[in-house]
Amino acid sequence: MSTNTLEQRMNAVLDCLATAKDYQRIAGRHDVSYQQLYNWVRRYESGGIPALTDRRGRKLRSERLTSTQHTP
């Protein structure tokens, strides 16, 4: 499976919702796993488009770091 952009995730979610949540068919159409599509739909339904953004690799802002997380 390839890395998906926000636009690709959004298209897959909207496609899935338009087909009464036919996860299996839509996952195949968008070349993602059933589970990944299911997770995206759940996140979209609970938090909208911002919930679909990929937050991997983001660093904590310095004011949120504890003293043990600060590097010398």
Side-chain angles (χ1 to χ4, degrees):
M1 263 169 253
S2 61
T3 303
N4 294 287
T5 65
L6 175 60
E7 182 179 355
Q8 290 167 324
R9 288 187 291 260
M10 191 67 213
N11 288 336
V13 167
L14 292 177
D15 202 8
C16 188
L17 293 174
T19 61
K21 297 184 180 178
D22 186 353
Y23 294 103
Q24 192 67 43
R25 184 166 59 104
I26 302 306
R29 182 183 296 167
H30 290 274
D31 194 31
V32 296
S33 71
Y34 179 102
Q35 186 63 44
Q36 186 62 67
L37 179 59
Y38 178 81
N39 287 335
W40 289 343
V41 170
R42 282 187 45 219
R43 286 175 23 201
Y44 175 77
E45 289 179 329
S46 68
I49 294 171
L52 294 176
T53 58
D54 187 358
R55 292 184 176 89
R56 291 178 296 176
R58 303 280 170 110
K59 296 182 180 181
L60 293 174
R61 294 192 325 224
S62 61
E63 64 269 12
R64 291 189 56 201
L65 294 175
T66 65
S67 60
T68 59
Q69 291 173 316
H70 282 284
T71 55

